[in-house]
Amino acid sequence: MSESGGDIGRVAEGGCRCGAVRLRAAGDPSVVVYCYCVDCRRSSGAPVSLFAGYATEQLDMDRGKLNAYASAPDVVRSFCGGCGTPLTYEDGRLQGEIYIHVGIFDDPEPFEPEAHSWVSQKPGWLTLSDDLPRYQESSVPR
Ligand SMILES: [Zn+2]
Ligand SMILES: [Zn+2]
């Protein structure tokens, strides 16, 4: 979490449902990926999560704070303490990166998904109709 220097092509702003948490991601995400894993499902309450991956220094807090907890030995997730909106995901195997739930951005339109992760844990009734790459496990090399 630091000030970004230089020219920023795009800044995406977002926040939780109640507005207590506001954040800003500078520049382009390294990846935009769906995840169907059980851990994301339980943490979000939804059958699929869509994440934008950033270097941690691309993220700045405008307001509020991330309430963090370990959802697995090497995984830290955060949410808003006021309204419970899931916000971020960090993985010890992906050092220096933070994954932001795309649904919290004010404008999700620019975040076009690139791949499907953990399709092995996707509910069968959730059918995919795109041609994006599908990974049985994580799409991110680690
Ligand atoms: Zn909130
Ligand atoms: Zn997941």
Side-chain angles (χ1 to χ4, degrees):
M1 315 263 176
S2 63
E3 289 289 311
S4 298
D7 286 350
I8 297 160
R10 185 178 88 201
V11 175
E13 295 186 20
C16 68
R17 177 66 183 84
C18 78
V21 175
R22 292 291 299 172
L23 52 77
R24 205 169 12 174
D28 291 324
S30 56
V31 68
V32 180
V33 62
Y34 289 109
C35 191
Y36 304 90
C37 83
V38 172
D39 197 42
C40 285
R41 197 174 79 218
R42 290 233 166 88
S43 309
S44 68
V48 57
S49 297
L50 180 64
F51 292 100
Y54 287 93
T56 46
E57 59 266 23
Q58 287 176 278
L59 177 64
D60 274 309
M61 300 302 298
D62 277 339
R63 185 164 74 220
K65 69 179 182 77
L66 305 176
N67 287 266
Y69 69 101
S71 69
D74 227 13
V75 172
V76 173
R77 293 177 186 271
S78 77
F79 61 96
C80 169
C83 69
T85 299
L87 298 167
T88 66
Y89 168 97
E90 289 172 275
D91 190 322
R93 293 161 292 190
L94 302 166
Q95 281 292 335
E97 295 178 35
I98 188 160
Y99 288 76
I100 302 175
H101 281 273
V102 166
I104 72 165
F105 285 114
D106 298 342
D107 179 13
E109 207 61 42
F111 295 91
E112 207 163 315
E114 296 163 35
H116 299 275
S117 266
W118 288 99
V119 170
S120 56
Q121 296 180 1
K122 179 182 73 59
W125 42 255
L126 185 56
T127 53
L128 309 179
S129 59
D130 59 42
D131 294 324
L132 298 175
R134 298 175 190 185
Y135 297 86
Q136 292 303 304
E137 298 188 348
S138 178
S139 66
V140 183
R142 57 189 185 184

